[in-house]
Amino acid sequence: KFCAREGVVLLADEVYQINIYHAGIDFVSFKKVAMDLLNDPAHGGLIADGLELASFHTASKGVSGECGIRGGYFELFGFDPAIKAQMLKLASITLCPNTPG
């Protein structure tokens, strides 16, 4: 709510989402919370409107534990398409093969 209201980008590190070891407790992503707020008739969708969320995940730490081989992704939610295009360009210029070791 704070981020949407104040125009602050929310960065969600969701790398360790599968590492929940308590029975009956499930991982809940930041995007799900944002969508629930958008679709909540009690709030009229105003709380998450304007929210910019960048959610990060990786397969190198949270899944396989291979810290030398990097593989990850991020999702942008609520960003202007022009910003998304610039982020794609930035991510694309840093592509290179992974180096084990």
Side-chain angles (χ1 to χ4, degrees), residues 1-9 46-52:
K1 294 177 185 181
F2 172 81
C3 291
R5 183 179 67 241
E6 300 297 328
V8 175
V9 175
L46 298 176
I47 290 177
D49 188 34
L51 176 67
E52 293 177 320

Side-chain angles (χ1 to χ4, degrees), residues 50-75:
L51 176 67
E52 293 177 320
L53 167 66
S55 179
F56 304 94
H57 189 62
T58 181
S60 63
K61 289 184 180 179
V63 177
S64 66
E66 294 293 334
C67 294
I69 299 175
R70 300 290 182 220
Y73 63 91
F74 66 94
E75 178 185 17

